[in-house]
Every structure is written in structure tokens, then in C-alpha cells.
């Protein structure tokens, strides 16, 4: 049985006013691992995985849940996902190199990207990883690599679905102007090229409509569109479609007011459309692939900061209260980039009533280095612990070394045990590649 998705990790509790996650108090975590610190709640990751795997199992279809590794990856996380039966999608040589050192099943790895290099494609072909083709140039490169090496390549084609999904414009991907995927007109000729090449195997098609999507309707549209293309491919090429990859993008609640769709509802709806469509058209249902990133890890994560300096500035509308934390845009770029909202808490005053509106700012040399504005919190004092929820996706993954700030440590917590997943970088680490 899975638990519904919430802003906080499923294990979050309060003991003597202190927030605990996975059975460990945040004050102990700060003492043991220092701040700022990424916390990952293992029970929440497992719960989020099972929203997908349980609903696909119940639908009695062949499936792969391929975690979108761009949301964030490290060995411990990938091995945890392998335990849950997940694969991954990868988008770079770095991600391929990383995934290949884990227990992730190679048959469940999908290589994406709009400008894969020859080197990266060689790595993927050598490792037998499925490649999701984005454009004609890439197909040529793959063809020439397989001719040189005599190796086979297993290919899907990313179709631009042209379905509008309401989300931040930076994370919309399905529209015609998008840099990702091939147009509908290009699809059949490209399949034909693959079918004509002896070393290329056509596995299927892929469609992804965007990220942090709350409306289930675009997913229904995607399933109908893909169904139309399964029929068209059969009619025009007679090639069997073995795999149908429906992408990721299901949204998560960053704040209480966010109402994302229920994962199992979206999955069931899409698969039912495809099952019915395939039965009617007398086409075997391909293996269904989904690629969730955020909805697997975001709500499992939280970032623990210490409050340092405070500033109260008289302004026209009253007082602007700043809390400065010991991290900021280098470990969480999402507010600076998208104005993404988060839920904040003073972790050592977790049940104290909110009395004051704060702007939470980081320590980096940029005015836009903020994590949230107009955040109601109890009175914050220097030394308090500030916890930000929902940071499990696209935080570590998009971190930077701005101001030569070392990457944070990450701990995975399960049943009261904190396991160091990623070591905190040292100043020496920062200098490793600097020539003297
Ligand atoms: N599949 C493909 C082909 C994708 O491009 C993406 C995300 C996913 C799956 C996973 O989407 P998810 O389930 O995580 O929504 N940096 C942005 C998000 C960029 C998403 C890019 N592609 C952010 O921080 O919100």
C-alpha cells in the first residue's frame, strides 16, 4: 500500500518541537553532518516509486519505470531505485558512466539528449543502452558508429507531441518550437531509414510533454496521439512497435495549495486508452515506459540550513525581514531561475506558530540569491535550523560552485539510520583541477 504524496516526506514528525525525518531529529543531523545538508527520506522514495510500479502492475502490462536521472543521481540513490525495479533515463556521458557502476538493469536505460556527441553515442552503443533519437544528424552518427564497430544499436524516436501543457516555459518541451524531438512529418521516413540499416533496430517511439504538470488532460491527449502513431507506423511500415515511452512530468506539491494529479490515475488513464486502442486496431500493446524524475525524488528531499545573520529593513509597506542561510542559489537554483515556491520551516521550532513574514536569502554575491519571499515563520534567531521541503529533485543536480562554494553532503535516512550518500566537498576538492 502506498501513502498519498505530500509536501513533506512521509516519515516527517515532530518531537519536542523538533522536526524528525526517517526517525532522526534534524538537530542531530545538523550536529553529525553539519549544514547545509541535503536530506533524502528513503521511505518516501520507495513510496513514490511504488505509485508507478503498483499501478502498472495492476494494469497487467509489460512496463519499465525509468527514473529521469537528470533530477539528480548518485550511486546510493540509483541502487535504491534498482531495488524498487526501476531503470533510468540518462542524458550525458557523465550520467551513463555513473549508472553503469550501479545495479540498474542495462535493459532499462534510455539515453536522451538533443545534441549527443559521437563519444557519448559510442559509450551508449558499446554498453548496449537504448538510444532515444532526437534528430536526423544523430541518426546518421549512430549509423556510422555501428558500421565502424559492427555493433547493433537499439533505437526509439522522440516525437514532438505538440501538446500544450501548462507549466513554466523553460520546462515545456512538447511544443513545435521546442528544441527536443522530431516533427510528425519526419517520423515515418526516419523509421524507414532505421529499418533499412542492418545494424539498427527500431524499438519504438517516445513522447514527453513537459515537467511539473498538474493537468491530466495533456496526458490523455498524449496517449491518444501515440495510439494514432502506433496505427500509422503499422500501416506505413509494417514494423512492430515494441516499446512506447510516454515520458515523465507529473507534478508534485511544493506548497500545500499545489494539487497535482494522482500518479496512478494518470497512468491508468493513459494505459487504458492505449490498451483499448491497440485491441481495436489489432496491434499488440508495446511495453509501456514512463520516465518520472521529480515525482520520484522531490518530496523525499529537504535541505537543512542554519540561519546566520538577520536583517530587518524599513520599507514603504512596513519591514522587510531577511533571514540569511548558509547556502542558497548554489545548492538550489530553482527560485532564482523559475521563482519556484517552497515550503519552509524552522526545524527546531517546528510546531511554533508563524508570527513574521521573512525573505529567505542565501550567502551568494547576487541580489537574486533568494529561496523564498513572504514566508510566514515563527520568530527566527541566528543559529536556528531552516528546513526547505521538496528539494529532492533538480537541486543537487543543478548545483554550482558559484563563489567557490563546495557541493553539499547528502544523507539518505531509513528507519532511524542516516547513511552518507554524497560526501561534502572540501576546499581541496574545489582546487583539484586548478593548475598551479
Ligand atoms: N523525460 C524527459 C525526456 C525529460 O526531458 C524530463 C525532464 C523527464 C523525463 C522528467 O521530468 P519530471 O518527471 O522530472 O518532471 N530543471 C527543471 C526541470 C527540467 C525537466 C527537464 N526534463 C526544474 O528544476 O524544474
Amino acid at each position: 500500500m502506498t501513502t498519498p504524496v505530500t509536501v513533506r516526506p512521509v516519515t516527517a514528525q515532530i518531537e519536542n518541537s523538533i522536526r524528525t525525518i526517517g526517525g532522526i531529529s534534524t538537530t542531530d543531523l545538523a550536529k553529525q553532518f553539519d549544514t547545509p545538508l541535503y536530506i533524502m527520506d528513503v521511505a518516501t522514495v520507495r513510496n513514490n516509486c511504488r505509485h508507478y510500479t503498483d499501478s502498472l502492475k495492476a494494469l497487467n502490462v509489460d512496463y519499465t519505470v525509468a527514473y529521469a536521472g537528470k533530477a539528480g543521481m548518485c550511486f546510493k540513490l540509483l541502487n535504491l531505485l534498482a531495488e524498487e525495479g526501476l531503470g533510468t533515463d540518462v542524458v550525458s556521458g557523465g550520467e551513463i558512466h555513473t549508472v553503469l557502476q550501479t545495479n540498474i538493469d542495462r535493459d532499462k536505460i534510455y539515453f536522451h539528449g538533443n545534441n549527443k556527441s559521437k563519444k557519448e553515442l559510442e559509450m551508449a552503443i558499446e554498453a548496449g543502452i537504448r538510444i532515444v533519437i532526437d534528430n536526423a544528424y544523430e541518426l546518421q552518427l549512430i549509423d556510422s558508429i555501428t558500421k565502424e564497430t559492427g555493433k547493433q544499436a537499439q533505437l526509439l524516436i522522440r516525437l514532438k507531441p505538440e501538446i500544450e501543457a501548462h507549466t513554466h516555459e523553460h520546462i515545456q518541451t512538447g511544443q513545435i518550437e521546442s528544441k527536443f524531438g522530431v516533427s510528425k512529418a519526419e517520423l515515418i521516413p526516419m523509421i524507414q531509414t532505421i529499418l533499412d540499416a542492418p545494424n539498427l533496430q527500431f524499438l519504438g517511439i517516445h513522447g514527453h510533454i513537459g515537467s511539473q504538470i498538474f493537468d491530466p488532460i495533456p496526458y490523455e491527449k498524449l496517449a491518444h496521439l501515440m495510439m494514432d502513431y502506433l496505427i500509422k507506423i503499422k500501416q506505413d511500415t509494417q514494423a512492430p512497435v515494441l516499446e512506447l515511452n510516454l515520458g515523465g512530468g507529473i507534478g508534485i506539491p511544493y506548497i500545500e495549495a499545489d494539487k497535482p494529479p494522482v500518479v496512478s490515475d494518470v497512468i491508468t488513464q493513459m494505459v487504458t486508452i492505449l490498451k483499448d486502442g491497440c485491441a481495436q486496431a489489432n496491434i499488440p500493446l508495446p511495453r509501456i515506459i514512463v520516465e518520472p524524475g521529480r515525482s520520484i525524488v522531490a518530496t523525499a528531499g529537504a535541505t537543512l540550513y542554519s540561519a546566520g545573520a538577520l536583517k530587518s529593513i524599513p520599507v514603504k509597506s512596513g519591514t522587510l525581514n531577511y533571514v540569511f542561510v548558509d547556502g542558497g542559489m548554489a545548492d538550489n537554483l530553482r527560485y532564482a531561475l523559475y521563482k519556484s515556491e517552497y515550503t519552509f520551516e524552522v526545524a527546531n521550532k517546528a510546531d511554533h506558530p508563524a508570527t513574521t513574514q521573512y525573505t529567505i536569502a542565501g550567502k551568494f554575491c547576487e541580489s537574486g540569491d533568494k529561496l523564498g519571499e513572504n514566508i510566514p515563520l515563527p520568530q527566527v534567531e541566528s543559529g536556528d535550523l531552516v528546513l526547505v521541503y521538496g528539494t529532492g529533485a533538480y537541486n543537487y543536480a543543478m548545483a554550482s560552485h558559484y563563489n567557490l562554494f563546495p557541493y553539499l553532503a547528502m544523507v539518505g535516512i531509513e528507519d532511524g539510520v542516516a547513511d552518507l550518500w554524497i560526501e561534502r566537498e572540501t576546499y581541496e576538492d574545489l582546487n583539484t583541477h586548478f593548475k598551479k
Side-chain angles (χ1 to χ4, degrees):
M1 264 304 282
T2 51
T3 314
V5 179
T6 47
V7 169
R8 292 176 175 76
V10 296
T11 63
Q13 288 182 7
I14 299 174
E15 275 170 39
N16 304 323
S17 294
I18 296 170
R19 175 60 66 186
T20 69
I21 293 177
I24 304 190
S25 82
T26 44
T27 45
D28 284 351
L29 286 171
K31 266 184 223 140
Q32 193 182 343
F33 297 100
D34 206 355
T35 61
L37 178 71
Y38 294 122
I39 299 169
M40 289 294 282
D41 181 48
V42 171
T44 305
V45 176
R46 292 193 193 279
N47 187 59
N48 289 341
C49 290
R50 290 173 197 176
H51 283 293
Y52 284 93
T53 52
D54 286 359
S55 50
L56 285 157
K57 254 179 235 157
L59 286 159
N60 210 7
V61 293
D62 189 13
Y63 70 87
T64 297
V65 179
Y67 166 66
K70 69 206 79 173
M73 61 163 69
C74 62
F75 296 148
K76 296 267 190 175
L77 173 65
L78 292 170
N79 284 332
L80 168 63
L81 299 178
E83 271 177 34
E84 292 296 322
L86 268 62
T88 54
D89 91 23
V90 289
V91 294
S92 68
E95 289 189 358
I96 294 174
H97 179 80
T98 305
V99 172
L100 288 179
Q101 296 174 69
T102 68
N103 300 329
I104 296 281
D105 186 344
R106 286 191 186 195
D107 282 335
K108 295 182 181 173
I109 306 176
Y110 291 81
F111 183 25
H112 276 289
N114 66 305
N115 194 19
K116 304 175 185 83
S117 71
K118 180 154 190 262
K119 238 190 191 159
E120 289 172 324
L121 289 166
E122 282 166 352
M123 271 174 95
I125 291 167
E126 174 65 35
I129 292 173
R130 288 161 166 69
I131 301 172
V132 186
I133 296 188
D134 180 88
N135 55 68
Y137 172 73
E138 179 185 335
L139 178 54
Q140 270 178 18
L141 269 180
I142 294 170
D143 190 36
S144 70
I145 295 168
T146 57
K147 280 181 182 143
E148 274 165 33
T149 59
K151 293 236 152 61
Q152 295 278 320
Q154 298 182 294
L155 308 175
L156 287 85
I157 299 176
R158 179 169 182 169
L159 179 65
K160 208 177 284 199
E162 294 174 53
I163 292 169
E164 201 178 323
H166 289 280
T167 186
H168 193 286
E169 62 171 321
H170 290 191
I171 51 180
Q172 279 187 353
T173 47
Q175 72 281 27
I176 192 71
E177 318 84 61
S178 166
K179 70 170 182 168
F180 299 107
V182 305
S183 67
K184 291 171 181 167
E186 287 171 282
L187 181 68
I188 298 292
M190 206 177 238
I191 295 174
Q192 208 57 63
T193 308
I194 296 173
L195 294 173
D196 292 343
N199 291 340
L200 305 184
Q201 193 192 351
F202 172 67
L203 286 188
I205 52 175
H206 170 281
H208 170 76
I209 52 176
S211 196
Q212 185 59 357
I213 291 168
F214 280 15
D215 180 1
I217 303 296
Y219 284 105
E220 280 176 37
K221 287 188 183 161
L222 178 68
H224 283 297
L225 178 83
M226 292 312 227
M227 191 58 240
D228 291 347
Y229 275 89
L230 292 183
I231 294 171
K232 187 168 171 53
I233 293 168
K234 185 179 178 193
Q235 280 170 353
D236 293 6
T237 73
Q238 275 80 52
V241 178
L242 303 174
E243 300 194 359
L244 176 59
N245 189 324
L246 299 165
I250 297 180
I252 64 108
Y254 282 103
I255 55 171
E256 298 293 347
D258 284 343
K259 299 284 173 252
V262 174
V263 166
S264 60
D265 290 351
V266 177
I267 297 292
T268 305
Q269 180 70 355
M270 282 198 290
V271 172
T272 306
I273 290 167
L274 290 159
K275 261 185 164 175
D276 292 351
C278 283
Q280 243 174 38
N282 200 18
I283 294 174
L285 183 73
R287 174 184 296 166
I288 303 293
I289 325 293
V290 286
E291 290 172 343
R294 192 189 315 269
S295 51
I296 297 292
V297 288
T299 56
T303 310
L304 188 63
Y305 299 99
S306 297
L310 307 167
K311 247 179 214 177
S312 291
I313 304 173
V315 288
K316 266 200 203 124
S317 53
T319 311
L320 175 59
N321 297 300
Y322 272 115
V323 175
F324 299 145
V325 293
D326 52 355
M329 67 185 294
D331 61 78
N332 183 354
L333 189 58
R334 299 191 67 260
Y335 188 78
L337 203 55
Y338 318 118
K339 284 270 175 294
S340 322
E341 292 182 284
Y342 283 100
T343 298
F344 295 79
E345 197 171 80
V346 180
N348 52 311
K349 299 174 180 170
D351 54 3
H352 292 201
T355 55
T356 313
Q357 300 266 339
Y358 287 99
T359 290
I360 318 290
K363 58 181 281 139
F364 299 97
C365 294
E366 181 162 327
S367 299
D369 170 28
K370 293 175 193 163
L371 297 174
E373 290 167 278
N374 305 316
I375 308 295
L377 289 175
Q379 196 69 43
V380 180
E381 293 157 287
S382 305
D384 279 343
L385 293 172
V386 177
L387 192 60
V388 186
Y389 289 101
T391 60
Y394 303 109
N395 272 227
Y396 172 73
M398 297 203 297
S400 81
H401 281 141
Y402 187 40
N403 299 160
L404 278 191
F405 191 68
Y407 283 174
L408 277 49
M410 184 184 291
V411 287
I413 300 180
E414 188 168 35
D415 300 329
V417 179
D419 185 19
L420 187 62
W421 280 11
I422 303 177
E423 232 173 86
R424 187 179 300 283
E425 276 189 327
T426 62
Y427 293 140
E428 269 318 301
D429 292 334
L430 287 172
N431 295 164
T432 306
H433 303 287
F434 295 173
K435 299 290 180 204
K436 286 223 163 109

